[in-house]
Amino acid sequence: MRKATIIVRPKAGILDPQSQTIERQVQQSGVHGIESLHLGKIFELVIGDDVTESALAALAQDLLANPVMEDFEITLS
Amino acid sequence: MRAAVVVFPGSNCDTDVVTGLQTVLGIAVDRLWHKQTHFDAAYDLVVLPGGFSYGDYLRCGAIAAHSPIMAEVKRHVERGGYLLGICNGFQILTEAGLLPGGLRGNAGLQFICRDVALQVANRNSPFTCALPNADLTLPIAHHDGNYLIDDDGLKRLQDQDQIALTYTTPVNGSVANIAGVLSANKRVLGLMPHPERAVDQAVGNTDGREIFLSLQTTIGA
């Protein structure tokens, strides 16, 4: 069995008030040097040998991410 | 006019739609369960109601947009049927690709539950043709009503007169204050405000009646 990780995050440049709020809190946390923070989602999949990366991309495009507002990134291991 | 409302797990405004249409138009509304793969082609209007389908898991409306009934809802639109998505129903329509753009968390990160003033941007659509000239007031109740569309998409909406309603003042961060969007053929409307909650004088506001009366004017009794 292989593992696939799909990361979904808001598209760059889109106003993301949730990340901004967390970023402000993190910057007040006492840990210095944190420049920015972006919140995303991780989907961890266990997949059979015949699942292709293009099939996963289609799945991400159709369901796991909303292409209007989110980008995704697939890692196979 | 024959109408039906689709019920998904977590829908909670289906009864409001049934009662609203009964009150305004005096027509009975059938309920359709989301697992149905077909429904009667004689329905003129299908409504996707508000609520929290599938607990808003993944994204609001994302799972419901893949429900078995949605393929038939798309066929209903291809047959020339009218389709109305209210609140969560609007989110489902964008997730299903039946309307352009998307809806995400309100800019202020808060659930907003109050009456809002709305400007009617298109008065010629099947859903808005009977609306009075004045602004409308309708209730909203949502956490994810922040309408997003890219610049090209917004231009297409404007060029094709697809913006139905706008908030008169910024409410939730929506691009161009958009509150309701029409399909290119104007037979599909998605909106965040709840017209079905404003049809009876007993609740102090009947501005929502005109949306349903517009449909009746278009479709016939």
Side-chain angles (χ1 to χ4, degrees):
Chain A
M1 288 294 172
R2 296 177 300 153
K3 285 185 178 171
T5 304
I6 302 176
I7 297 178
V8 174
R9 53 169 70 91
K11 273 187 193 293
I14 285 180
L15 181 69
D16 181 8
Q18 193 171 195
S19 289
Q20 288 175 346
T21 302
I22 300 167
E23 183 181 290
R24 275 198 301 276
Q25 194 59 39
V26 162
Q27 285 168 341
Q28 291 167 19
S29 69
V31 180
H32 299 291
I34 296 172
E35 297 291 327
S36 70
L37 177 149
H38 293 285
L39 179 72
K41 295 175 192 167
I42 294 183
F43 299 88
E44 294 174 325
L45 295 80
V46 177
I47 55 173
D49 291 339
D50 52 348
V51 178
T52 62
E53 188 167 346
S54 64
L56 291 174
L59 179 69
Q61 183 83 16
D62 179 53
L63 179 63
L64 300 182
N66 181 336
V68 172
M69 57 188 85
E70 294 169 324
D71 289 325
F72 62 86
E73 191 180 298
I74 299 170
T75 310
L76 290 168
S77 58
Chain B
M1 173 170 163
R2 291 195 58 195
V5 60
V6 179
V7 183
F8 300 94
S11 294
N12 67 6
C13 297
D14 44 310
T15 299
D16 304 54
V17 170
V18 169
T19 307
L21 280 170
Q22 171 77 41
T23 303
V24 179
L25 305 179
I27 61 166
V29 181
D30 294 333
R31 283 183 168 85
L32 306 171
W33 183 233
H34 74 113
K35 284 195 173 167
Q36 285 182 230
T37 52
H38 292 90
F39 54 73
D40 195 336
Y43 288 122
D44 301 294
L45 170 69
V46 171
V47 183
L48 306 189
F52 300 85
S53 58
Y54 292 90
D56 283 347
Y57 290 174
L58 186 59
R59 294 176 306 278
C60 300
I63 309 284
H66 292 77
S67 274
I69 201 167
M70 289 308 292
E72 178 71 0
V73 168
K74 287 176 183 172
R75 285 191 287 273
H76 166 77
V77 172
E78 285 159 12
R79 290 194 289 263
Y82 295 90
L83 178 60
L84 173 63
I86 302 167
C87 199
N88 188 222
F90 184 16
Q91 294 162 341
I92 295 168
L93 290 180
T94 60
E95 285 285 343
L98 285 162
L99 287 175
L103 292 146
R104 61 200 187 105
N106 294 339
L109 297 176
Q110 289 189 320
F111 190 97
I112 307 171
C113 183
R114 63 176 169 90
D115 287 345
V116 293
L118 298 158
Q119 205 162 15
V120 184
N122 176 340
R123 294 185 179 278
N124 300 315
S125 82
F127 300 88
T128 55
C129 57
L131 289 173
N133 285 324
D135 290 347
L136 289 178
T137 299
L138 288 176
I140 56 166
H142 62 247
H143 183 275
D144 291 61
N146 182 352
Y147 184 75
L148 182 70
I149 193 161
D150 61 21
D151 291 344
D152 290 345
L154 177 62
K155 187 167 187 315
R156 270 197 299 279
L157 288 184
Q158 290 164 336
D159 290 349
Q160 300 184 76
D161 223 3
Q162 285 177 251
I163 301 171
L165 299 165
T166 57
Y167 304 107
T168 54
T169 56
V171 166
N172 52 21
S174 291
V175 167
N177 288 326
I178 288 172
V181 170
L182 292 154
S183 61
N185 73 358
K186 313 295 189 291
R187 287 180 176 232
V188 182
L189 171 67
L191 76 171
M192 290 312 296
H194 286 269
E196 83 285 12
R197 294 189 189 175
V199 298
D200 191 328
Q201 196 54 56
V203 297
N205 178 6
T206 58
D207 282 6
R209 297 177 68 98
E210 315 300 332
I211 298 219
F212 300 116
L213 288 172
S214 295
L215 276 168
Q216 194 171 40
T217 303
T218 305
I219 297 168

